[in-house]
Amino acid sequence: MSKQPTTVTPVGEGVARISWVADENVDVVRREVAAALVDHQRVEAHVAVDDETGQRTATWSGMRREGIMRGVGGDLVVYARLASDTPVHEPGGFRALLNSFLPRKRAISQMLIRDTTEPEPRVLLCQLTYKQDWDLPGGVVEVGESPQDAVVREVEEELALSLPAGPLLLTDWLPPWGGWDDALCLVFDGGVHDSSIVERIVEQEREIRSAAFCTAAEVADRAADFTARRVASALRNASPGVDGPGPTYTESGR
């Protein structure tokens, strides 16, 4: 029985979908993609998430990975190439191709803000609307945004405080949990301030219920255990004692 050829099927205005047999040569698929782009603005392929060979074929034929389409019959990885895409043989086109499928890590920026309480400063924590645990102010870094700029933006958006972000105190890796992918949490030094700074806070109602300076005991009581460990590590780095600074890298606060 002869092998079925690679097929290109129009699926919409200016859009074609390409499919091929499992052992098809990448060069053949690449030529068919190029030929289809003469008459179409977009050529796409849907490849099963467990078909690693098919995903390699799609990639090295010049199609960029766009995401996963979930479905009853099984999830599919969507690949596509546009007529306007930079040619893969050019540096910009090759980098864009690699960027489409290489792993991406979510980043969270937080700020450690302390007050002048003696003998140990308290830490500013936020009571959040979307979870029971309290946490340091901050949030997710946007695509293409500096983590240091992100934490300044988040603190201003959430609390209406304009505070510069000082040195990086801690990098904490957060493993996958409860439906979340893993992430890197970067804690920046927000400095030491008079406790009256809380009077200037205007909570963003959508995300923040309240904010307060908390003692170490209150941090342990109000925050998740991994958050409490992260706060303790960041504090050691911000105010090193006789034992020296704490770790600059932790995993889930450890």
Side-chain angles (χ1 to χ4, degrees), residues 53-232:
T53 300
Q55 292 174 40
R56 285 195 295 270
T57 299
T59 297
W60 299 121
S61 67
M63 289 186 284
R64 301 181 192 178
R65 178 180 172 126
E66 294 186 336
I68 295 179
M69 181 172 64
R70 296 178 299 156
V72 176
D75 295 347
L76 300 172
V77 185
V78 179
Y79 291 85
R81 182 156 189 82
L82 306 182
S84 58
D85 285 345
T86 303
V88 176
H89 65 267
E90 296 183 12
F94 185 66
R95 287 193 295 268
L97 180 67
L98 292 180
N99 189 61
S100 74
F101 70 84
L102 288 175
R104 300 183 183 186
K105 187 77 68 179
R106 180 177 293 120
I108 300 168
S109 282
Q110 295 186 326
M111 187 176 285
L112 185 77
I113 303 169
R114 293 155 286 155
D115 73 357
T116 54
T117 302
E118 297 290 347
E120 294 183 1
R122 298 177 298 175
V123 175
L124 186 67
L125 290 187
C126 296
Q127 183 183 26
L128 306 174
T129 61
Y130 50 86
K131 63 179 182 180
Q132 293 183 340
D133 302 325
W134 291 52
D135 209 341
L136 292 171
V140 175
V141 181
E142 299 292 346
V143 176
E145 183 181 32
S146 153
Q148 199 167 35
D149 290 343
V151 74
V152 172
R153 172 184 57 76
E154 286 283 349
V155 170
E156 188 161 12
E157 290 176 355
E158 293 180 348
L159 304 176
L161 294 177
S162 297
L163 301 178
L168 178 66
L169 298 175
L170 184 71
T171 300
D172 186 31
W173 178 69
L174 305 178
W177 176 83
W180 287 104
D181 291 337
D182 71 321
L184 288 176
C185 183
L186 309 174
V187 183
F188 291 91
D189 192 348
V192 179
H193 304 268
D194 189 274
S195 57
S196 63
I197 195 175
V198 295
E199 299 172 7
R200 293 162 41 195
I201 290 176
V202 180
E203 292 93 353
Q204 182 189 56
E205 294 183 358
R206 189 179 74 253
E207 295 187 25
I208 308 296
R209 287 197 180 97
S210 62
F213 280 110
C214 300
T215 64
E218 290 170 331
V219 172
D221 181 59
R222 299 181 182 186
D225 56 355
F226 57 86
T227 300
R229 291 194 297 267
R230 184 188 314 135
V231 170

